[in-house]
Amino acid sequence: VKNCFHYPELVGEIIKQFEQKGKGCCLVGLKFMQASEDLLKEHYIDLNDSPVFTGLVMYMHSGPVVAMVWEGLKVVKTGRVMLGETNPADSKPGTIRGDFCIQVGRNIIHGSDSVKNAGKEISLWFQPKELVDYKSCVQNLIYE
């Protein structure tokens, strides 16, 4: 799953939540960066005809983001539950959006919605050499 969030002061908190909830999930890529407008336009291409597209690209370009890649069993599904609903007002307390967001237009985090889209998004944000291929030392204790 590829996650990207726009509040770098919460890096530790977000990683902590994935490490605690996603037992067996491995962080295999991490970048702190200023995303270019071109990268953001490509990332949100499916919203190109939406009235929120321009504002979303401007918002995400207004400051640094932290892009992450997590691997693990059902990590996309688990990640989506941890993020909460797209509309923070509909997100439960304890989810990232439920705890740290107020409005959709200033959403704190993006998460891939499918394995297929995760692959596409990872290739936009990361070069293969930027991803680490490893297995956690506790993997055999977590997975059958």
Side-chain angles (χ1 to χ4, degrees):
V1 67
K2 200 282 299 171
N3 292 306
C4 181
F5 57 97
H6 195 53
Y7 292 85
E9 63 273 11
L10 295 174
V11 170
E13 183 63 35
I14 303 296
I15 291 173
K16 177 182 172 184
Q17 288 192 22
F18 272 87
E19 288 177 335
Q20 288 177 333
K21 175 63 179 169
K23 304 292 187 211
C25 294
C26 295
L27 179 63
V28 298
L30 179 77
K31 277 187 184 181
F32 178 67
M33 61 187 286
Q34 178 74 41
S36 71
E37 284 187 48
D38 288 340
L39 172 62
L40 294 166
K41 286 177 181 177
E42 181 65 25
H43 179 85
Y44 291 111
I45 192 83
D46 59 320
L47 298 174
N48 192 30
D49 295 329
S50 170
V52 303
F53 179 77
T54 301
L56 179 58
V57 170
M58 287 175 48
Y59 168 63
M60 291 301 295
H61 186 63
S62 69
V65 298
V66 178
M68 300 185 294
V69 179
W70 292 87
E71 288 183 345
L73 183 66
K74 298 185 181 180
V75 70
V76 171
K77 182 178 180 180
T78 299
R80 297 294 293 179
V81 171
M82 291 172 54
L83 268 58
E85 302 298 322
T86 300
N87 183 346
D90 297 333
S91 295
K92 294 178 182 176
T95 65
I96 294 167
R97 291 175 178 152
D99 290 350
F100 300 113
C101 300
I102 296 172
Q103 292 183 306
V104 174
R106 294 295 183 260
N107 223 325
I108 188 173
I109 193 163
H110 166 84
S112 302
D113 61 357
S114 69
V115 174
K116 179 181 176 183
N117 284 340
K120 183 179 101 176
E121 292 173 359
I122 290 166
S123 69
L124 280 174
W125 291 81
F126 290 88
Q127 298 295 317
K129 66 182 180 183
E130 296 174 309
L131 301 174
V132 178
D133 184 21
Y134 77 102
K135 301 294 181 214
S136 169
C137 61
V138 297
Q139 185 171 1
N140 291 336
L141 301 173
I142 296 170
Y143 296 120
E144 292 181 34

